[in-house]
Amino acid sequence: MRDNGGVTSATAQPETPGSPQFSTSLERRDSPVTPPRLIATDLDGTLLRDDKTVSPRTIAALAAAEDAGIEVFFVTGRPARWMDVVADHVHGHGLAICGNGAAVVDLHGGAGAHRFVKVRELARQNALDAVRLLREAAPGTVYAVEQTYGFHQEPAYPKLHMEIPDLRAPAEELLAPDGPAADEPVLKILAHHPELDPDAFLALARLAVGTRANVTRSSPSALLEISGPDVSKASTLALCCAERGISHEEVVAFGDMPNDIEMLTWAGRSYAMGNAHPDVLTAASGRTVANNEDGVAVVIEQLLSERP
C-alpha cells in the first residue's frame, strides 16, 4: 500500500469562506417527521474542515449519534487508501462508501489494512467508450484510472493527486482487458481538462457519454469522476440501507458538491453546507453552516436534542 504523504484530498481545495448568515442557526425547509436511523456524510468540504481535520466538536457529535443508536456512514469520492483521516471515527460497523459509491470498505483494520466488502466496478468497455467519446467532444482531455488498490495515469495528466502513479500510459492501454492494469477492477476514471469551466465540462461530458457511465465532479477544477452507469453515492448507500432494513426516510445526508446531489435528493432529510455548490443548495431539503463552522455537528446536535 502506497503512502500519499499525508495528503487526503484529490485536489487542493480552496479556503472556504465563512457563512455568517448561518453562523448561529440552522435553516431547514422541512420539519422532522421520521426519527433518523442513519447519518450519511460526505467528507471533503462537508465533515472535514479545510485543513482536512475532524474538529473536536464534530468528533463528539459523531460519537453521540452512535451512542444514540444512529449509524454514521462516511460517503465520499475518496479512494479507500485516503480514509485514514476518519478511520478512528468509524464506530460499530466500521464501513465507509468510497469512490462515489464504487466500493464499500471496512476500515477496522486501520490505515493500509482495509477490506473491500463490496465493489461496483466500471466495465472496461464502458470506460473505453467514455474515454473515446469525451476525447472527441473535448479535445485535450487527459485521464487517470482508479482501481481497488492501483492508481494509474496518462503521461500528460497533471499532478493533481500528490502521489506517484503505479503506471503511466495512454488510457486505452491502461483500460485494455489484457493490459498492464488488468488484474484489478476499475472503480472510476478521472478526466481533466486544462481550459474548460468545470460545470460546462460536466454538462458536455454527460451529454457525450450518455448512459455508458455516471459522470460527476467534486473538485473546484475541471476534473470529472466517471463511474459505472448505475453507480453513485445514492445507489450504494441505498444498498447498504436495504441490508439494514433502513428506509430512505430514516436517512439524514450531508454534502457540498455535485457528486452529492443524488444522495441528498434520495435521503429523507438532507443538508447542504453553507459553502456548497449552488446546485447542491437547490437539491438539499435544508441548509447548515459551512464545513469550517462544523455544520454537520450543528445538525447532529439539533437532531439529538429533538429525540424523546
Side-chain angles (χ1 to χ4, degrees):
M1 180 60 57
R2 298 183 312 282
D3 177 21
N4 68 343
V7 176
T8 52
S9 178
T11 57
Q13 298 287 330
E15 287 294 314
T16 302
S19 321
Q21 68 269 40
F22 303 125
S23 60
T24 59
S25 64
L26 182 67
E27 183 178 299
R28 295 183 302 173
R29 301 174 196 162
D30 298 322
S31 298
V33 176
T34 305
R37 293 180 58 197
L38 187 143
I39 291 168
T41 178
D42 173 51
L43 295 181
D44 296 284
T46 301
L47 187 82
L48 303 180
R49 291 189 167 188
D50 286 347
D51 63 2
K52 306 306 174 187
T53 63
V54 187
S55 74
R57 180 180 182 182
T58 297
I59 291 172
L62 295 175
E66 292 279 359
D67 288 344
I70 303 172
E71 291 193 64
V72 176
F73 262 71
F74 301 127
V75 188
T76 178
R78 289 180 176 223
R81 65 183 180 277
W82 289 4
M83 294 300 289
D84 57 302
V85 69
V86 292
D88 291 339
H89 311 301
V90 284
H91 305 269
H93 58 78
L95 300 179
I97 295 173
C98 298
N100 290 329
V104 180
V105 183
D106 185 343
L107 302 179
H108 272 138
H114 55 264
R115 178 176 63 89
F116 285 90
V117 175
K118 187 188 303 291
V119 173
R120 305 183 68 199
E121 66 183 291
L122 171 61
R124 288 175 182 268
Q125 188 57 57
N126 290 58
L128 287 165
D129 288 345
V131 166
R132 173 179 56 81
L133 292 166
L134 193 49
R135 280 202 205 278
E136 294 171 357
T141 301
V142 289
Y143 297 92
V145 178
E146 187 75 66
Q147 296 185 266
T148 44
Y149 293 100
F151 175 75
H152 320 297
Q153 67 180 58
E154 293 190 313
Y157 189 85
K159 188 177 177 59
L160 297 174
H161 307 280
M162 302 182 191
E163 62 180 313
I164 300 173
D166 298 306
L167 296 170
R168 294 181 189 269
E172 291 82 358
E173 181 178 335
L174 295 172
L175 294 167
D178 57 351
D183 58 337
E184 292 179 35
V186 175
L187 297 186
K188 64 180 179 180
I189 53 177
L190 302 166
H192 179 267
H193 199 281
E195 299 174 357
L196 290 176
D197 170 81
D199 285 329
F201 189 31
L202 176 59
L204 182 153
R206 285 176 168 169
L207 184 63
V209 173
T211 59
R212 294 171 180 83
N214 184 32
V215 185
T216 189
R217 77 177 188 90
S218 61
S219 169
S221 66
L223 178 67
L224 305 182
E225 301 164 67
I226 303 174
S227 306
D230 299 317
V231 175
S232 68
K233 289 186 175 186
S235 63
T236 301
L237 178 61
L239 292 173
C240 292
C241 287
E243 292 170 355
R244 289 159 173 74
I246 296 174
S247 68
H248 74 96
E249 292 93 349
E250 297 172 302
V251 176
V252 178
F254 298 87
D256 73 306
M257 287 296 281
N259 65 328
D260 297 312
I261 288 175
E262 292 108 325
M263 178 174 74
L264 296 176
T265 55
W266 176 82
R269 273 182 282 176
S270 59
Y271 295 88
M273 309 306 292
N275 51 288
H277 185 283
D279 291 348
V280 176
L281 295 172
T282 300
S285 62
R287 190 182 302 187
T288 184
V289 296
N291 63 316
N292 281 340
E293 301 168 62
D294 300 328
V296 173
V298 169
V299 176
I300 292 175
E301 290 164 358
Q302 181 163 331
L303 292 173
L304 294 178
S305 72
E306 295 170 351
R307 293 171 68 87

